[in-house]
Amino acid sequence: MPPHDEAAEEAVLGSLLIDPEAVFTVATLLKGEDFFVPRNRLAYEACLSLYSRNEAINQVTVAQELARRGLLAEAGGAAHLSHVVSTVPTSLHAEYYAQIVTRLALMRNLINAAGQIARIGYESGPDPDAALAQAEEMLFQLRRGRISRDFVPIREVLDKYFEDGGPGVRQRLEHIPFILTGFPAMDELLGGFQRSDLIIIGARPSIGKTSLALTIARNAAVVQGACVAFLSMEMSRESLVQRLIAAEADVDSHRLRLGHLSAVEEKKVVDATGVLSEVPFFIDDSPQLRVVEMRSKVRRLHNERGVDLVVLDYLQLVQGDARTRSENRVQEMSEITRSLKALARELDVPVCVVSQLSRAVIGRGSHRPQLSDLRESGSIEQDADVVLFIHRDDYYITAEEWSREHDLSKEPYPRGIADIIVAKHRNGPIGEAKLRFMSRTARFCNIEAEEQVAG
C-alpha cells in the first residue's frame, strides 16, 4: 500500500467538525487530493465548500453538503462523520495532523513521479538530454507544487540588504476607523478607504496600477501605522521591497536594483530602510493562490496582528475552487469577487484589488477607461464598492503629437500626470483626482493644490 495514515486523516476531519476555527490553519496546508482514503477526501472537500461559502462546519452541515452532491453514502454516511469526531478529544493538534497527511501525500506523489521517470528510462528514447530534462521537470513540478509561502514581515526581506537591527514590527495602539490613501484629492472624494469596502484599481499594463496600490499601502503603514497585508502574485517580495525602498529614499529604482548608488543615496537608502523595517507591513508573494488559501492566510494574520488593509495584486491571477474552474471563467470570477467582498465584510477591513482592463480601452478614441472595460466585468462591477481607474495621456500620445494638437502655452504636455477616475462609489460621489507618477521611483505623489481635483 502507498504510504498513508488513515488515523491522521480522520483526526483532521474530527478537528474540523468539533472546532470550525481549525480550518483557518488546515486549509493552507491541505488540499482534497492529499487525502488517501476516498471517503475522507470527500468529507474534507465538503468542509472546504462550506468554508468558501462562509457557512458553519459541523456534522450536520457536512452531511447535508455531501447529500446535496449525492456523495453521502460514498463518504461513509453520517456514521463515518460521527466516528471521526470520536477519534479526537480536541482540535489543539489539528495542524500537526494536517502536516502528517500532507507529508505522506508528498511521498505518494514522489512514488508516482519515480514510476513515470522509470517509464522514461524503459522507453530508451534516442535523446538522453531530452529524457533527463523530462525527468527533472517532473521533480521540479513536484517541489514547486509543495512550496508553501506565507506572509512575512517586511523586515525579513529588508535583511537581505542590511543587517538586522531594532525590535520587530510595532504594535498599533489605537483603532484606525478608515484608511487614508495619503492623497488629499482622492481622500476628499472617497473619504479614505472605508472598512468592509471592496476597492478595485483598474488600468492597462504599465500605467502604474501596482505602483498606486503599493504607494497607498505604504502611506497607510508609514503615516497611519495601519497593519497592511499585501498579496502579490505577479511580483516577488524582493522586487516589491526594492520599489518601496526607492520610493521611500527617493532614489532611482533602476540604479538601486543595479547597486549603482552614490554615498549620499546609500545614506538615504539606509534611512529609508530604518523607517520601513518598523512598520506593520506584511508581504505574501505566493505565485498561485486559491481563494480559500488567501482567505485563510489573511484571517490568520488578522487574528494575530489585527489587519487594517488588504491589498491584492492582481485579481486575474487568483484561482477559484475546482468546481467553478470546471465551469467557465466568468462564473469563476464571480465566485472570486463575491469571496473578496465577503472577506472585507468578515474582517471589517478595506480590501483593495488590482485588476486588468480589456483591450477595448486602446480602440477608444479618448482611451479613457470605463466600467465595461473590466475584464470578466459583470461581477467585478457589481460586487465592488469603489472602482478606480488610472488614465495617463502620456501613455497614449507622445510629446510631439501633443504639440501638434495643443497650444503648449495653455496646455503643456501632461508628462507623468495621472487622472484617477472614481467610476463607481457606492456610498459617495464620483469624480476625478490628479496625481503625478514619478517613473524614476515608480511611485505616485501629489501635485499642486490647484490641480489636485478635477471634474
Side-chain angles (χ1 to χ4, degrees):
M1 292 287 290
H4 68 284
D5 190 329
E6 186 171 358
E9 294 183 4
E10 293 178 350
V12 170
L13 294 175
S15 298
L16 293 177
L17 295 181
I18 64 176
D19 179 14
E21 297 288 322
V23 74
F24 302 138
T25 299
V26 172
T28 60
L29 297 174
L30 279 179
K31 300 178 182 178
E33 55 266 29
D34 291 338
F35 285 77
F36 179 77
V37 180
R39 62 185 181 183
N40 293 336
R41 180 173 64 251
L42 293 175
Y44 180 71
E45 290 174 346
C47 291
L48 289 185
S49 294
L50 291 169
Y51 172 56
S52 66
R53 300 199 301 268
N54 202 28
E55 297 179 11
I57 300 175
N58 53 54
Q59 285 180 250
V60 175
T61 56
V62 172
Q64 288 178 340
E65 177 67 15
L66 289 169
R68 186 182 66 82
R69 298 182 178 190
L71 298 172
L72 182 58
E74 189 176 346
H80 180 59
L81 298 179
S82 298
H83 166 70
V84 298
V85 169
S86 67
T87 60
V88 287
T90 174
S91 65
L92 183 62
H93 304 295
E95 184 174 0
Y96 173 72
Y97 303 141
Q99 289 173 349
I100 294 175
V101 175
T102 191
R103 176 177 59 82
L104 295 176
L106 175 60
M107 294 302 105
R108 294 196 300 274
N109 291 335
L110 184 61
I111 292 171
N112 182 56
Q116 296 183 54
I117 292 173
R119 178 182 53 80
I120 294 172
Y122 280 114
E123 288 176 354
S124 301
D127 187 350
D129 290 334
L132 286 172
Q134 190 176 355
E136 290 172 353
E137 178 65 17
M138 288 180 182
L139 293 176
F140 174 74
Q141 292 291 343
L142 183 61
R143 176 179 291 276
R144 186 171 63 177
R146 303 308 303 187
I147 292 176
S148 178
R149 307 194 74 160
D150 210 337
F151 287 111
V152 296
I154 192 173
R155 173 185 295 277
E156 292 188 13
V157 188
L158 290 168
D159 284 347
K160 293 181 178 293
Y161 298 94
F162 302 96
E163 292 183 359
D164 188 19
V169 176
R170 71 172 185 267
Q171 297 283 352
R172 289 181 300 107
L173 300 179
E174 299 179 356
H175 175 73
I176 299 175
F178 52 84
I179 299 300
L180 294 173
T181 66
F183 304 116
M186 287 180 60
D187 290 330
E188 183 178 345
L189 277 172
L190 301 175
F193 285 178
Q194 301 297 317
R195 289 184 176 272
S196 81
D197 275 3
L198 175 62
I199 301 109
I200 303 295
I201 297 178
R204 289 292 298 162
S206 301
I207 291 286
K209 53 185 182 293
T210 298
S211 295
L212 180 60
L214 193 60
T215 304
I216 291 173
R218 174 267 170 201
N219 292 344
V222 173
V223 179
Q224 282 189 280
C227 182
V228 177
F230 200 104
L231 300 104
S232 173
M233 286 173 282
E234 185 177 33
M235 296 178 63
S236 69
R237 60 180 67 158
E238 291 80 12
S239 297
L240 285 174
V241 167
Q242 283 180 347
R243 282 198 179 194
L244 283 169
I245 293 174
E248 191 69 26
D250 193 25
V251 300
D252 188 284
S253 58
H254 179 66
R255 295 179 60 227
L256 173 64
R257 186 167 58 251
L258 296 178
H260 297 163
L261 300 177
S262 65
V264 173
E265 289 173 327
E266 288 181 354
K267 174 63 167 57
K268 293 169 69 176
V269 167
V270 171
D271 293 340
T273 302
V275 172
L276 292 173
S277 63
E278 295 300 317
V279 299
F281 196 116
F282 294 82
I283 300 172
D284 184 306
D285 64 347
S286 302
Q288 294 181 338
L289 266 184
R290 296 177 300 157
V291 173
V292 65
E293 294 171 336
M294 178 189 65
R295 185 178 173 188
S296 294
K297 288 182 175 185
V298 174
R299 179 62 185 270
R300 187 169 59 195
L301 181 65
H302 184 68
N303 289 340
E304 295 174 356
R305 302 303 301 264
V307 173
D308 295 302
L309 173 64
V310 177
V311 182
L312 172 63
D313 184 21
Y314 61 90
L315 179 62
Q316 282 73 23
L317 291 179
V318 180
Q319 299 178 1
D321 59 33
R323 177 179 55 83
T324 54
R325 285 203 302 272
S326 64
E327 294 171 357
N328 61 66
R329 180 58 178 170
V330 174
Q331 289 178 319
E332 181 182 8
M333 187 59 63
S334 298
E335 181 66 28
I336 291 171
T337 55
R338 280 196 297 268
S339 297
L340 291 171
K341 175 57 181 176
L343 177 66
R345 295 192 61 184
E346 177 186 358
L347 302 186
D348 192 31
V349 300
V351 176
C352 179
V353 182
V354 174
S355 176
Q356 290 183 335
L357 298 183
S358 68
R359 296 180 62 85
V361 180
I362 300 176
R364 191 174 300 121
S366 65
H367 303 300
R368 295 180 71 82
Q370 53 193 32
L371 290 174
S372 60
D373 296 326
L374 288 166
R375 291 185 60 177
E376 297 97 17
S377 119
S379 62
I380 305 176
E381 177 183 346
Q382 174 182 334
D383 294 326
D385 296 284
V386 176
V387 177
L388 306 175
F389 292 128
I390 307 174
H391 172 71
R392 287 169 46 200
D393 283 321
D394 62 348
Y395 180 80
Y396 297 101
I397 185 170
T398 65
E400 292 75 14
E401 293 171 335
W402 180 273
S403 64
R404 289 196 296 267
E405 300 176 6
H406 300 80
D407 183 353
L408 295 181
S409 62
K410 298 179 180 179
E411 297 180 277
Y413 181 61
R415 187 181 307 278
I417 301 299
D419 294 325
I420 309 301
I421 303 169
V422 183
K424 179 183 179 182
H425 190 189
R426 195 186 301 275
N427 301 308
I430 61 174
E432 295 183 16
K434 288 188 180 295
L435 301 177
R436 186 178 299 279
F437 178 68
M438 311 294 291
S439 58
R440 184 177 68 92
T441 56
R443 69 184 176 99
F444 284 82
C445 63
N446 295 298
I447 57 177
E448 291 73 16
E450 65 270 14
E451 295 178 311
Q452 280 184 344
V453 179

